[in-house]
Amino acid sequence: EGHLVESGGGVVQPGRSLRLSCAASGFTFDDYAMYWVRQAPGKGLEWVSGISRNSGSIGYGDYVRGRFTISRDNAKNSLFLQMDSLSVEDTALYYCVKSRGKFYYYNALDVWGQGTTVTVSS
Amino acid sequence: DIQLTQSPSSLSASVGDRVTITCRASQPIFSYLNWYQQKPGKAPKLLIFHASTLHGGVPSRFRASGSGTDFALTITTLQPEDFATYYCQQSSSSPLTFGGGTKVDIK
């Protein structure tokens, strides 16, 4: 079914940057779209970004568009999220998630990592 | 953006009860509606995709239906392991969005 392990979270000051990584295994990485989903403490799920299997189609949530950049390296079975201009509202657990299909839209999110915590605080 | 409204936001039920959660989309999304279960401290798990298709390994007591703007998830006979928070999510158009969640706890 697949296994996803996130890394790169931590504590960062407002306005600074952070880069999250996700290592994928147990499935053919370049066959599937991938996502980042976040969950603020005690809150619901929020879709952050998605990327198609060949990086040809990318989408972002309204609150991160223009500040976050998703990318993937299919040769290294890895997904990334570059987060710039961080604000306290970006504090959350960030999940790396696999799609059931090759496009990030039209498909469900079927394999989830355990998440990496990002805390934005002065 | 497509908004998803889940009802109720929380409910209390007993083992053996039949429970139904609804999800309404702000515009038609065909059958691009998925359901997830999340237990405290754990990552969400996919239950249902394409509005009514059971994901592999999910018990048959989970049933879902709907298309267009109105969707429902039913747990036919609630089991102890089903107490959790449930989210709907649309994949019809970007940005993808989640409903606010429904917490099912023990009466």
Side-chain angles (χ1 to χ4, degrees):
Chain A
E1 182 186 54
H3 188 55
L4 300 168
V5 178
E6 304 91 339
S7 61
V11 180
V12 62
Q13 293 179 328
R16 305 297 292 266
S17 298
L18 207 58
R19 179 176 169 89
L20 304 184
S21 300
C22 171
S25 61
F27 64 98
T28 305
F29 184 71
D30 57 9
D31 275 350
Y32 298 96
M34 296 292 295
Y35 311 91
W36 290 98
V37 174
R38 70 184 182 183
Q39 188 167 34
K43 302 297 184 182
L45 301 172
E46 181 182 22
W47 183 75
V48 173
S49 184
I51 185 169
S52 64
R53 70 171 190 170
N54 64 358
S55 304
S57 184
I58 288 174
Y60 296 97
D62 291 344
Y63 297 110
V64 307
R65 191 177 296 118
R67 298 187 299 122
F68 290 11
T69 304
I70 192 171
S71 62
R72 64 189 294 163
D73 184 339
N74 287 346
K76 296 183 177 179
N77 290 349
S78 295
L79 179 72
F80 306 99
L81 185 69
Q82 177 66 40
M83 303 186 294
D84 297 324
S85 303
L86 284 161
S87 69
V88 294
E89 291 76 25
D90 296 317
T91 294
L93 181 64
Y94 284 74
Y95 292 105
C96 170
V97 194
K98 170 188 167 291
S99 175
R100 289 193 72 253
K102 59 184 179 181
F103 299 115
Y104 77 85
Y105 43 88
Y106 297 158
N107 292 297
L109 289 62
D110 69 346
V111 180
W112 295 65
Q114 289 306 302
T116 187
T117 300
V118 173
T119 302
V120 184
S121 173
S122 55
Chain B
D1 298 3
I2 297 174
Q3 312 302 319
L4 295 178
T5 304
Q6 279 186 243
S7 296
S9 56
S10 65
L11 66 89
S12 296
S14 301
V15 172
D17 284 354
R18 182 183 182 95
V19 168
T20 296
I21 300 166
T22 64
C23 179
R24 174 164 287 178
S26 59
Q27 58 188 270
I29 57 172
F30 306 97
S31 294
Y32 296 115
L33 193 284
N34 311 302
W35 291 95
Y36 303 85
Q37 177 194 66
Q38 186 179 33
K39 296 181 180 179
K42 300 294 186 182
K45 292 183 177 180
L46 176 64
L47 295 176
I48 303 282
F49 60 93
H50 289 171
S52 61
T53 304
L54 211 61
H55 184 53
V58 174
S60 59
R61 64 179 179 273
F62 289 92
R63 298 180 184 177
S65 62
S67 67
T69 60
D70 293 305
F71 302 85
L73 172 69
T74 297
I75 309 171
T76 56
T77 307
L78 199 64
Q79 298 299 301
E81 59 268 31
D82 300 335
F83 292 98
T85 300
Y86 294 85
Y87 295 92
C88 58
Q89 176 254 328
Q90 66 84 17
S91 54
S92 174
S93 66
S94 187
L96 308 189
T97 47
F98 287 89
T102 297
K103 184 176 181 181
V104 178
D105 62 20
I106 302 172
K107 183 183 290 184

